Amino acid sequence: MCSSDLPAPPAESAVTVVGDVPYASVNGSDLLLDIYQPVVQAGAGNRPAVLLIHGGGWSNLDKSTMRGMGQFLARSGFVGFAVDYRLLHGEENRWPAQLDDVQRAVRWVRANAAKYGVNPERLGAFGHSAGAQLAALLGMEDTRDNSDPALAKYSSRVQAVVDVSGPTDFTTDHDPDSIAFLANFLGVDYSKHPEVWRDASPAFHVSKGDAPFLIMHGTQDESVSISQSQELCEIGRGHV
């Protein structure tokens, strides 16, 4: 998305927020998103949109942590969609539940693009930490679960990705605690099914057809090593 191609930001800094909109129902529970919209200006046309995906180690936090970014984007002329997704609780909601949810959210946005003044061909994803891993895969992979006929014709791929401090390779940078967590999260031990760990790792999905990425990572990040982002960047350069 080139800045010169973006619609003009709203004349005022007012933002319209629509909270707790259901975008899916799983096992009888609704999955919700918040929508951050610029004040509608006459002749503004459809705007680019960004799916906002929170971090929290796939097991905590929620869409409210994306409030500031959603408001910033709306003031800048975008429509922001901050999403909740299923969180890991013990053995419940193991991978790839989270990927299925955010892919469905992208497709829901496209299905409702006219309602919210969104250009369905200009949809990006912004994610932090665990959310960045999900955002990365949205820019790389096609829909995994296409069982919903109402969304069957809509793509879950985004046109741009902002990856902030995202884990990208689950096969490296391990300590005993992270190995135990990932074995539970992914549902299998690495020694027995390394392909599952690789399949969940964006670094193993890089190709020339991927969306363009902006990758940011703190040099002193103690939760996710900067080497994770460096690896993804180096692999990406090899596919340009």
Side-chain angles (χ1 to χ4, degrees), residues 163-210:
D163 169 347
V164 182
S165 303
T168 63
D169 184 352
F170 290 142
T171 70
T172 63
D173 296 324
H174 287 157
D175 58 48
D177 288 341
S178 66
I179 290 174
F181 173 83
L182 288 170
N184 179 55
F185 176 52
L186 300 173
V188 292
D189 291 332
Y190 179 73
S191 61
K192 295 180 180 178
H193 291 283
E195 73 281 3
V196 175
W197 291 49
R198 290 193 294 265
D199 192 55
S201 302
F204 290 89
H205 293 275
V206 177
S207 71
K208 285 187 176 181
D210 293 344

Side-chain angles (χ1 to χ4, degrees), residues 111-199:
N112 291 275
K115 180 177 180 180
Y116 296 107
V118 167
N119 182 339
E121 300 306 316
R122 303 182 71 190
L123 179 56
F126 174 100
H128 172 254
S129 194
Q133 179 253 357
L134 295 168
L137 290 175
L138 289 178
M140 297 173 164
E141 291 298 291
D142 292 320
T143 304
R144 198 195 73 86
D145 178 5
N146 197 25
S147 61
D148 186 343
L151 299 177
K153 67 179 181 179
Y154 298 103
S155 172
S156 63
R157 278 207 186 215
V158 296
Q159 279 72 53
V161 173
V162 178
D163 169 347
V164 182
S165 303
T168 63
D169 184 352
F170 290 142
T171 70
T172 63
D173 296 324
H174 287 157
D175 58 48
D177 288 341
S178 66
I179 290 174
F181 173 83
L182 288 170
N184 179 55
F185 176 52
L186 300 173
V188 292
D189 291 332
Y190 179 73
S191 61
K192 295 180 180 178
H193 291 283
E195 73 281 3
V196 175
W197 291 49
R198 290 193 294 265
D199 192 55

Side-chain angles (χ1 to χ4, degrees), residues 33-82:
L33 53 78
D34 297 336
I35 305 169
Y36 298 85
Q37 298 172 278
V39 171
V40 176
Q41 304 292 312
N46 290 335
R47 297 183 179 276
V50 181
L51 199 76
L52 303 170
I53 311 174
H54 69 84
W58 307 277
S59 58
N60 58 74
L61 302 182
D62 59 34
K63 56 186 171 58
S64 68
T65 64
M66 290 287 118
R67 184 180 297 116
M69 181 58 69
Q71 292 175 338
F72 168 77
L73 287 170
R75 291 195 301 268
S76 302
F78 295 82
V79 181
F81 294 86

Side-chain angles (χ1 to χ4, degrees), residues 83-95:
V83 300
D84 280 339
Y85 50 88
R86 281 174 285 174
L87 300 177
L88 180 70
H89 296 295
E91 297 181 358
E92 183 181 359
N93 298 332
R94 283 172 162 163
W95 182 263

Side-chain angles (χ1 to χ4, degrees), residues 203 205-210 215 229-240:
H205 293 275
V206 177
S207 71
K208 285 187 176 181
D210 293 344
I215 301 173
S229 288
Q230 291 170 332
E231 177 183 350
L232 184 63
C233 185
E234 289 302 315
I235 295 173
R237 286 173 178 166
H239 285 78
V240 173

Side-chain angles (χ1 to χ4, degrees), residues 96-120:
Q98 298 73 25
L99 178 60
D100 289 344
D101 293 346
V102 296
Q103 286 189 332
R104 184 182 178 94
V106 171
R107 301 166 83 203
W108 182 93
V109 170
R110 288 201 163 105
N112 291 275
K115 180 177 180 180
Y116 296 107
V118 167
N119 182 339

